[in-house]
Amino acid sequence: MKKKGHRPVTRVKNPEPKIEDPDWVIWAAWADRITFEEIKKRTGKSETDVIKIMRKNLKPSSFRLWRKRVHEKSIKHRKKFEYSRKQMSSKIKKSDYL
C-alpha cells in the first residue's frame, strides 16, 4: 500500500535563484525570455552593467557564447522583439490558415 500525502518534489535543472542573490542577474541574463528591461526594472542594473557582471563571472569562452547568443536573439531587447513580431505577423496571412 502506498503512503498517502507524499508527493515527490520536482527538481528543475536550473532553478531560479532568489532576486537578492547576485547569481540572479547571471541566471536572468542566460534566460531567453527575460529582457534587459526587466532586469533593469527588478535590479536597477543596466545592460552594460549586466555585460560587465557576465564578463567578470564567466569563462572567456562562455562569455563569447553568451554575447553571440544575446546579439543574435531579438528577444533580449524589447524593441527588437516587438519589431520582429510585427514583421512575422505581416508575413502571415489569414488565407494561409483557411
Side-chain angles (χ1 to χ4, degrees), residues 36-85:
F36 286 119
E37 289 84 6
E38 289 179 47
I39 294 172
K40 182 161 179 81
K41 187 168 62 172
R42 290 188 184 184
T43 63
K45 299 194 185 311
S46 65
E47 181 181 351
T48 55
D49 295 335
V50 172
I51 292 170
K52 287 176 186 175
I53 290 169
M54 296 296 277
R55 189 185 307 270
K56 189 172 91 175
N57 291 308
L58 296 179
K59 296 186 297 184
S61 60
S62 298
F63 176 75
R64 284 191 299 270
L65 181 70
W66 175 76
R67 284 298 290 158
K68 181 180 177 186
R69 184 176 169 175
V70 168
H71 184 69
E72 290 175 355
K73 295 242 182 225
S74 64
I75 205 161
K76 284 304 268 188
H77 297 277
R78 176 66 60 196
K79 287 181 182 178
K80 285 184 180 179
F81 176 69
E82 289 170 356
Y83 178 73
S84 66
R85 283 288 183 175

Side-chain angles (χ1 to χ4, degrees), residues 5-16:
H6 178 68
R7 186 173 202 173
V9 177
T10 305
R11 296 181 187 238
V12 181
K13 188 175 182 181
N14 292 323
E16 180 178 350

